[in-house]
Every structure is written in C-alpha cells, then in structure tokens.
Amino acid sequence: WYDVPAIIFYEFELELKKPEDVTLLKEMAKQHGVEVEGFADFMPEWFILSARFSDFLHGVDAANFFYESGYFRGVGPTIVGVPEYNPK
C-alpha cells in the first residue's frame, strides 16, 4: 500500500481566457482578499494567487470559487503529495 500524505497550500494557479480578463481577476481577488502574486513561469496567461489572508480556508477553496465563477479557463490548487511506502 502507498500512503500519500498531501500538503495543501494557500497558493493556487489560474489561467485567463483572454489577456483583458486580468482586470476582472484583480477585482475578484481584491473583493475576497486574495493576493495576485505574479505570473507563472513560461505560461503567459497563468497567474499565481495566494489565499493566505482571504475569505477562504485554503487554496483549494479559493481555486474552487474562481473555477465555478466560469470567468477563467483553468484553475488549480497547489497540492504536493509525498509518496511513502507503507507495507500492510
């Protein structure tokens, strides 16, 4: 068996549908206390955001909110899994 403990971060990534959507992104982020940290390397339409001091519990909740808004092409939380072998 493999147990994969997951570490959930406050950060998440978001892809704009078009470059002009950056204004909408900044407005929504400000309204909910989400910080726009910058661009994702090598992905010009992707932004890195932080929900650390926001209305959301963590990045997964924030990513879900932005995804369900329908205004953005793609949204994903930052989750790191570290596989450990655990024979049972």
Side-chain angles (χ1 to χ4, degrees), residues 44-62:
E45 303 299 322
W46 283 86
F47 285 80
I48 300 169
L49 296 97
S50 174
R52 186 173 190 88
F53 301 108
S54 71
D55 299 342
F56 304 102
L57 183 60
H58 44 64
V60 174
D61 287 341

Side-chain angles (χ1 to χ4, degrees), residues 1-7 80-88:
W1 292 86
Y2 286 90
D3 292 328
V4 182
I7 301 169
V80 177
V82 183
E84 296 177 4
Y85 180 67
N86 185 10
K88 294 186 180 186

Side-chain angles (χ1 to χ4, degrees), residues 12 14-18 21 24-25 28 32 61-75:
F12 62 101
L14 180 146
E15 182 183 15
L16 303 177
K17 287 185 177 178
K18 54 190 182 290
D21 290 339
L24 174 63
L25 168 61
M28 288 179 69
H32 295 282
D61 287 341
N64 188 53
F65 170 80
F66 281 86
Y67 173 77
E68 288 185 352
S69 75
Y71 294 123
F72 306 102
R73 179 172 293 140
V75 182

